[in-house]
Amino acid sequence: SSAAPGSSTTPSITANNKAANDILAMIERNQRAAGKRQMVSGSHLVLEPTPINLQKVMSRYQRKNNGGAIIPSAVLASWCHDILSAISFCHSNHIILRSLLPDQIHLDHSGTAKLSGLSKVMVLHGKDRTKEFDPLKFVRSKKGKDHNTEDVEPFAAPELLLGGTRHTKETDMWAFGALLANLLLGKQLFPGKDRVSKMTQVFKIVGVPEKDNYERAKRFPFYSNNMYVIGDEGKKKKYSRGVEKALRHMLRAFGSDHEEDFSGLRSLIDGLLHLDPKKRMTADEALRHQYMMNHSAHVERQEFRQNYVKDWLDLKENVLTKGKSSKSTIRDSFGGGGGGKSRSMEQQKSETTPPMNGGGGSAEKELKRKAFLIGASSSGGGVDDGDDLYNLDDLLGPSSSKKPKFSEM
């Protein structure tokens, strides 16, 4: 009677010991591996797949030798609204971004711009949330290595380039304005690889420090006479403020039509790029700017929605295919005549998961949802003909009864 329990327990004990030894061996291997590499911990931001970021767009729409294409006005206005809304949300919750780089702004399949890469953000302490910071109280020392050789962020605010160390809501708004100018022009408004060269460009466009233009900039530790442009007579050129004038002049390379299309955006950028931090628009003020108000009103119009969808899908195809696929393929398919090749089922499935933006019934979200559905739809994708989910006649206007095919995205 005692043999039966023994015979059933012995294999169980053996199996348990083997499992325990395997677990111990795995733990030991993990510990050895951990010693060879640095373990990374912390919070992570999880987003749905986003095939494009702004860096890819800017690389594709880069202006070279006065050539290149310009980002469609409807798409650019939409991105402006998305990014500005995100900045406003952060600032209202006392969060300073500190860095706003194009490779950290992602675009989902519907064309919505989303912030990521928030590793540098700073949350203001309770006592600091109602203070007005004086940038001159937070500066670097002149001693030490040559700070002019340090790498500087492309959209850094003047007070940071001049030696300030404190990031504020105002430095975020400057970075946003410089980013918008880059998207509009296809190149940096303030090019330069070091502090002196960048500040030279800043002074040329936003004006040199004077009595009515933030004269206190001269008191920063890295301020230098080398930041001025020297005229023929050896004297420093005293440029006055002219942001909107400079943008208008640079846009002429794309044609006179674009100069008028982006007049509102030029005015917005002008309000963001002030040498004096206190004169810059806040995020909430920028959202109430006439350019943003007009955009919100345009979203209600059928024609604007049609143009947005076409422009966004053209841009997405242009960026993803690096210009190898003709834009006209998509535009012709919208007109009801002609069409491109239908995409594979795997590509359709990868795009049919709607973006997780939360609730909300605003016109802009509905517009982008429709753009997403267009990008995911296909005549041969197994969609039930009786299902009106992909029937976008109300958006695209009258067309033939056949469902259009869409070229490979």
Side-chain angles (χ1 to χ4, degrees):
S1 60
S2 61
S7 60
S8 62
T9 304
T10 301
S12 176
I13 293 175
T14 303
N16 289 339
N17 287 338
K18 185 177 183 303
N21 289 334
D22 290 343
I23 292 173
L24 290 173
M26 181 182 66
I27 293 174
E28 186 177 353
R29 287 196 304 270
N30 291 341
Q31 288 175 339
R32 288 199 302 268
K36 297 179 182 179
R37 68 177 186 272
Q38 183 179 1
M39 300 298 290
V40 179
S41 60
S43 301
H44 299 273
L45 184 65
V46 180
L47 300 173
E48 71 276 13
T50 51
I52 305 175
N53 60 36
L54 278 190
Q55 184 61 56
K56 290 183 179 180
V57 175
M58 291 165 65
S59 297
R60 184 63 198 155
Y61 285 80
Q62 186 176 7
R63 181 184 168 195
K64 296 180 179 178
N65 299 323
N66 293 328
I70 194 167
I71 297 174
S73 58
V75 176
L76 189 51
S78 178
W79 292 347
C80 179
H81 181 273
D82 294 339
I83 300 170
L84 192 52
S85 298
I87 296 174
S88 175
F89 176 82
C90 290
H91 286 183
S92 64
N93 287 278
H94 314 292
I95 298 171
I96 308 299
L97 296 177
R98 298 180 67 208
S99 176
L100 193 64
L101 298 176
D103 61 351
Q104 298 173 351
I105 301 174
H106 292 260
L107 307 170
D108 66 14
H109 285 286
S110 67
T112 303
K114 301 183 178 183
L115 295 185
S116 66
L118 303 178
S119 59
K120 292 185 178 181
V121 300
M122 174 182 68
V123 181
L124 292 176
H125 189 273
K127 296 186 297 182
D128 296 336
R129 294 178 180 179
T130 56
K131 284 184 180 179
E132 286 192 8
F133 290 100
D134 182 357
L136 282 170
K137 291 184 178 180
F138 304 91
V139 296
R140 297 190 183 190
S141 170
K142 288 185 178 180
K143 298 180 180 179
K145 61 180 181 180
D146 183 8
H147 293 288
N148 188 49
T149 61
E150 290 181 341
D151 291 334
V152 293
E153 289 198 354
F155 309 128
E159 56 267 35
L160 298 177
L161 293 173
L162 291 171
T165 60
R166 183 82 186 199
H167 290 79
T168 62
K169 295 177 181 179
E170 290 77 18
T171 61
D172 282 353
M173 297 312 296
W174 173 281
F176 175 60
L179 173 64
L180 283 182
N182 200 150
L183 288 169
L184 175 61
L185 301 173
K187 63 178 183 179
Q188 287 192 41
L189 184 59
F190 310 114
K193 296 182 179 180
D194 53 52
R195 297 176 188 274
V196 171
S197 59
K198 287 189 78 70
M199 283 306 304
T200 300
Q201 300 301 321
V202 169
F203 286 163
K204 286 175 65 176
I205 294 177
V206 303
V208 298
E210 291 182 328
K211 185 176 181 180
D212 58 345
N213 192 37
Y214 199 52
E215 192 173 18
R216 301 179 77 229
K218 296 180 180 180
R219 296 165 56 186
F220 279 90
F222 298 159
Y223 171 81
S224 168
N225 287 330
N226 294 331
M227 296 175 176
Y228 288 82
V229 176
I230 304 300
D232 296 335
E233 299 178 357
K235 295 182 179 180
K236 295 184 294 184
K237 288 190 175 182
K238 295 186 177 182
Y239 290 96
S240 58
R241 175 176 165 76
V243 177
E244 193 166 0
K245 179 181 177 181
L247 293 172
R248 185 170 61 253
H249 174 76
M250 294 179 186
L251 274 177
R252 287 175 183 167
F254 296 104
S256 58
D257 293 341
H258 294 300
E259 186 179 339
E260 180 63 28
D261 290 343
F262 295 101
S263 59
L265 181 56
R266 294 200 316 266
S267 174
L268 175 62
I269 296 173
D270 178 71
L272 296 167
L273 299 180
H274 278 275
L275 193 61
D276 187 347
K278 292 183 179 179
K279 292 183 179 180
R280 294 171 202 159
M281 285 185 183
T282 66
D284 289 340
E285 288 172 347
L287 281 172
R288 294 192 297 269
H289 186 273
Q290 192 61 46
Y291 174 69
M292 290 285 89
M293 300 294 287
N294 289 343
H295 171 68
S296 299
H298 289 161
V299 169
E300 303 289 343
R301 294 166 49 194
Q302 186 80 355
E303 181 183 1
F304 180 89
R305 297 186 182 194
Q306 293 175 355
N307 291 335
Y308 170 82
V309 172
K310 294 175 184 179
D311 289 340
W312 159 243
L313 291 180
D314 277 349
L315 183 146
K316 185 172 81 165
E317 183 181 40
N318 187 16
V319 173
L320 291 179
T321 64
K322 297 182 179 179
K324 295 179 181 179
S325 179
S326 174
K327 286 186 177 183
S328 61
T329 302
I330 285 185
R331 289 191 179 277
D332 291 344
S333 68
F334 278 117
K341 297 178 181 179
S342 60
R343 295 167 297 152
S344 65
M345 286 294 293
E346 291 181 359
Q347 288 174 308
Q348 294 177 42
K349 289 179 181 179
S350 68
E351 294 185 359
T352 51
T353 303
M356 297 179 292
N357 288 336
S362 67
E364 184 161 355
K365 288 185 178 180
E366 178 66 13
L367 163 64
K368 292 184 177 180
R369 185 185 73 84
K370 290 181 178 180
F372 169 79
L373 292 178
I374 290 176
S377 62
S378 172
S379 61
V383 179
D384 184 3
D385 288 340
D387 188 353
D388 290 334
L389 177 62
Y390 296 98
N391 184 358
L392 303 175
D393 290 341
D394 62 324
L395 177 63
L396 299 176
S399 62
S400 62
S401 58
K402 292 184 179 180
K403 292 188 176 182
K405 296 181 179 180
F406 299 89
S407 61
E408 185 176 350
M409 299 302 291

